[in-house]
């Protein structure tokens, strides 16, 4: 294949340290954003499966222990199981430590506080890495624009040195400028789209977490799920308390 004197390889070979630095920076930003998108998307798929189990399977069991089993073996990477365990532990802890300062709170407020704290922790985990996508999406076009400006500067220098405005003198530097612009957009667009898609998915999961926490609160405080069937009373859960 005939060598293209105005292609990417030629740009890298002929470019100076600034041109190569901008290209390398855009490559690093692209790799980082795609890694975040892949990891967060895989995590979101797992969260949606866990949300379905919490919404349907959990509440169709005969007792709390059986329902808890439907949420997985451990609460690691499963905010829905964390909510269920935290609610049960909160009830038991409140009953066994009424002499502590939190004993002044009624059990409803105490359970609400602990469930809200668990949701906040889950929200923080889900939002981790999103700042990378936001930063790449907002800065990559400007990084590419910097490369564009630098390429145009090279074109003007070539014209000034040669004293001629021939196409052979300006095609290479102008090609660098156009390639850098395209690189900046190619890095920024997936990052912005990925950020928006993941943000919508995280919001949906958080809404399901809040609904599940609301049902758990009603179950532990009153012994019945809101709008649901009558499960076994909360005091019979036999959950060992402690925080």
């Amino acid at each position: 294949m005939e060598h293209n004197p105005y292609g990417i390889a030629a740009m890298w070979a002929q470019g100076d340290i600034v041109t190569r630095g901008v290209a390398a920076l855009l490559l690093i930003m692209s790799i980082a954003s795609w890694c975040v998108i892949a990891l967060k998307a895989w995590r979101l798929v797992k969260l949606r499966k866990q949300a379905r189990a919490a919404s349907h399977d959990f509440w169709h069991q005969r007792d709390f222990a059986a329902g808890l089993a439907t949420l997985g073996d451990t609460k690691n990477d499963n905010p829905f199981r964390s909510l269920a365990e935290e609610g049960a532990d909160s009830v038991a802890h409140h009953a066994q430590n009424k002499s502590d300062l939190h004993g002044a709170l009624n059990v409803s407020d105490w359970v609400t506080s602990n469930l809200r704290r668990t949701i906040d922790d889950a929200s923080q985990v889900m939002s981790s890495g999103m700042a990378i996508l936001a930063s790449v999406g907002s800065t990559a076009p400007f990084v590419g624009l910097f490369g564009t400006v630098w390429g145009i500067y090279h074109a003007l220098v070539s014209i000034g040195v040669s004293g001629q405005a021939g196409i052979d003198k300006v095609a290479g530097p102008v090609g660098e400028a156009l390639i850098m612009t395209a690189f900046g957009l190619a890095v920024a667009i997936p990052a912005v789209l990925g950020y928006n898609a993941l943000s919508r998915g995280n919001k949906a999961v958080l809404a399901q977490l809040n609904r599940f926490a609301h049902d758990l609160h009603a179950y532990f405080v009153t012994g019945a799920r809101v709008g649901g069937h009558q499960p076994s009373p909360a005091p019979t859960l036999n959950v060992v308390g402690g925080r």
Side-chain angles (χ1 to χ4, degrees), residues 81-117:
R81 181 170 180 121
S82 294
L83 273 177
E85 291 187 2
E86 185 64 29
D89 289 346
S90 299
V91 173
H93 183 77
H94 186 274
Q96 296 171 8
N97 299 273
K98 290 186 176 180
S99 60
D100 294 344
L101 287 176
H102 65 71
L105 300 172
N106 60 48
V107 66
S108 177
D109 292 338
W110 178 248
V111 172
T112 298
S113 174
N114 284 278
L115 292 178
R116 174 51 55 190
R117 187 182 302 113

Side-chain angles (χ1 to χ4, degrees), residues 10-47:
M11 180 204 72
W12 181 264
Q14 299 172 10
D16 59 7
I17 187 171
V18 175
T19 300
R20 294 180 180 180
V22 170
L25 179 59
L26 288 173
L27 179 61
I28 293 172
M29 295 171 72
S30 179
I31 293 174
S33 62
W34 277 110
C35 287
V36 172
I37 290 172
L39 291 174
K40 302 300 288 186
W42 175 75
R43 172 65 175 150
L44 190 58
V45 170
K46 290 182 62 179
L47 286 172

